[in-house]
């Protein structure tokens, strides 16, 4: 059996996907990036490989991507996260039909990517100012409300009143705004839903810049938050395609590109 690895060193989390020659995911992992990007990435990779009883020497090809991709000297090559995200979305979204637009919310940036039928990127927009509308917004919300990140979805759906308008566009000001709302006696559900709508509005505005044709695929860690997904669908006016494991799409794309690069090289020899 041949093994291919995709490693996505994101601003917040390192994601690993190991696939076989049929593009089947054999193992995957999500672990905090921390401050020691390279060391943490290698540890995460070794742990994932050991889960299926193989070592780095057994990998036929490995591609790194993401914010810290250049640090991963062990990789055969590195690709941009936009390219890897596009290929990963096509692979993971295959059963949902044609994916034409990808929305990725990461730890510190938001991207909208338009692709053609071959997965080639035809248009692209990104927002990374002040971490506005990113996973960091959600992390700060959960922390200030003293709830778990995983609970945000439940809070969103348990709302009694209306979502509160959140005016801050910068994550630092959003933090003081949340504290102010709590001090004014507002409940956590209204604040959480307000944050979700604020992120959703900003994200949909960004996505409109690249066009919203065909099926829209939503990935990145925040796509695991069902409340945010509902707010996004509300703002978009249509259903989103959410993969089973939204956070590893880009790592999966890198693994698929590793497989293709390996067979391309074989053909050339
Ligand atoms: P990056 O690639 O920039 O590191 P990710 O796609 O890994 O970003 O997303 C990281 C973000 O995902 C975190 O900031 C966090 O807000 C969000 N996240 C992680 N796990 C969950 C979860 N279980 N539920 C909701 N959001 C999550």
């Amino acid at each position: 059996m041949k093994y291919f690895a995709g490693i996505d060193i994101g601003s917040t989390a390192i994601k690993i996907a190991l696939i076989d020659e049929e593009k089947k995911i054999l193992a995957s992992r999500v672990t905090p990036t921390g401050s020691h990007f390279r060391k943490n990435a290698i540890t995460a990779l070794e742990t994932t490989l050991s889960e299926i009883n193989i070592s780095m020497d057994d990998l036929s090809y490995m591609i790194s991507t993401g914010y810290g991709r250049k640090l991963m000297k062990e990789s055969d090559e590195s690709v941009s996260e936009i390219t890897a995200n596009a290929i990963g979305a096509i692979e993971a979204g295959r059963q949902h039909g044609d994916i034409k637009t990808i929305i990725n919310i990461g730890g510190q940036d938001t991207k909208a990517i338009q692709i053609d039928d071959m997965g080639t990127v035809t248009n692209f927009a990104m927002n990374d100012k002040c971490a506005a509308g990113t996973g960091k917004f959600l992390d700060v919300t959960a922390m200030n409300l003293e709830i778990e990140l995983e609970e945000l979805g439940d809070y969103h759906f348990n709302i009694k009143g209306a979502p509160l308008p959140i005016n801050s566009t910068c994550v630092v000001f959003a933090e003081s705004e949340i504290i102010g709302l709590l001090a004014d006696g507002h409940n956590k559900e209204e604040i959480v839903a307000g944050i979700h709508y604020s992120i959703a509005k900003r994200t949909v505005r960004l996505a409109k810049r690249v066009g919203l044709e065909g099926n829209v695929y939503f990935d990145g860690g925040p796509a695991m938050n069902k409340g945010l997904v509902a707010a996004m669908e509300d703002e978009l006016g249509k259903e989103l395609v959410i993969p089973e494991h939204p956070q590893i799409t880009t790592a999966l794309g890198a693994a698929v590109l590793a497989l293709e690069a390996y067979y391309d090289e074989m053909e050339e020899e």
Side-chain angles (χ1 to χ4, degrees), residues 79-95:
V79 298
S80 90
E81 57 264 43
I82 321 267
T83 306
N85 201 160
I87 300 298
I90 288 189
E91 186 58 33
R94 201 175 289 286
Q95 74 269 35

Side-chain angles (χ1 to χ4, degrees), residues 72-201:
M72 200 61 196
K73 304 273 182 278
E74 289 74 6
S75 292
D76 295 286
E77 59 177 295
S78 67
V79 298
S80 90
E81 57 264 43
I82 321 267
T83 306
N85 201 160
I87 300 298
I90 288 189
E91 186 58 33
R94 201 175 289 286
Q95 74 269 35
H96 300 278
D98 277 0
I99 304 291
K100 286 276 160 36
T101 311
I102 302 161
I103 295 175
N104 171 278
I105 304 188
Q108 295 187 17
D109 61 31
T110 302
K111 301 182 199 82
I113 307 166
Q114 191 187 56
I115 53 174
D116 66 13
D117 295 339
M118 303 300 289
T120 307
V121 177
T122 47
N123 201 357
F124 158 73
M126 176 157 114
N127 185 0
D128 57 1
K129 283 196 199 81
C130 294
T134 68
K136 187 83 188 156
F137 238 69
L138 297 169
D139 299 343
V140 162
T141 304
M143 193 184 73
N144 282 289
L145 298 181
E146 294 182 316
I147 61 179
E148 297 296 324
L149 200 53
E150 293 76 11
E151 293 178 285
L152 289 172
D154 292 337
Y155 274 82
H156 181 98
F157 292 113
N158 287 334
I159 191 167
K160 304 247 165 22
L164 287 169
I166 304 289
N167 301 311
S168 312
T169 51
C170 174
V171 77
V172 179
F173 296 123
E175 187 160 22
S176 4
E177 191 173 353
I178 292 167
I179 295 166
L181 291 170
L182 283 173
D184 288 342
H186 291 290
N187 63 39
K188 294 182 183 181
E189 288 80 359
E190 291 165 353
I191 300 174
V192 168
I195 291 283
H196 288 160
Y197 274 98
S198 147
I199 296 174
K201 281 194 174 78

Side-chain angles (χ1 to χ4, degrees), residues 8 10-13 15 33 105-108 135-136 138-139 149-150 220-222 224-225 247:
D8 172 16
S11 65
T12 307
K15 279 78 64 178
T33 304
I105 304 188
Q108 295 187 17
K136 187 83 188 156
L138 297 169
D139 299 343
L149 200 53
E150 293 76 11
M224 290 190 283
N225 176 339
Q247 209 169 0

Side-chain angles (χ1 to χ4, degrees), residues 205-248:
R205 215 179 302 138
L206 180 85
K208 280 186 177 155
R209 275 168 42 197
V210 304
L212 280 163
E213 286 155 35
N215 285 323
V216 183
Y217 181 98
F218 177 31
D219 71 0
M224 290 190 283
N225 176 339
K226 301 267 183 289
L228 177 62
V229 171
M232 296 263 294
E233 289 182 337
D234 205 8
E235 288 300 318
L236 266 177
K238 67 174 168 181
E239 262 185 48
L240 289 159
V241 175
I242 317 282
E244 195 182 342
H245 304 292
Q247 209 169 0
I248 63 157

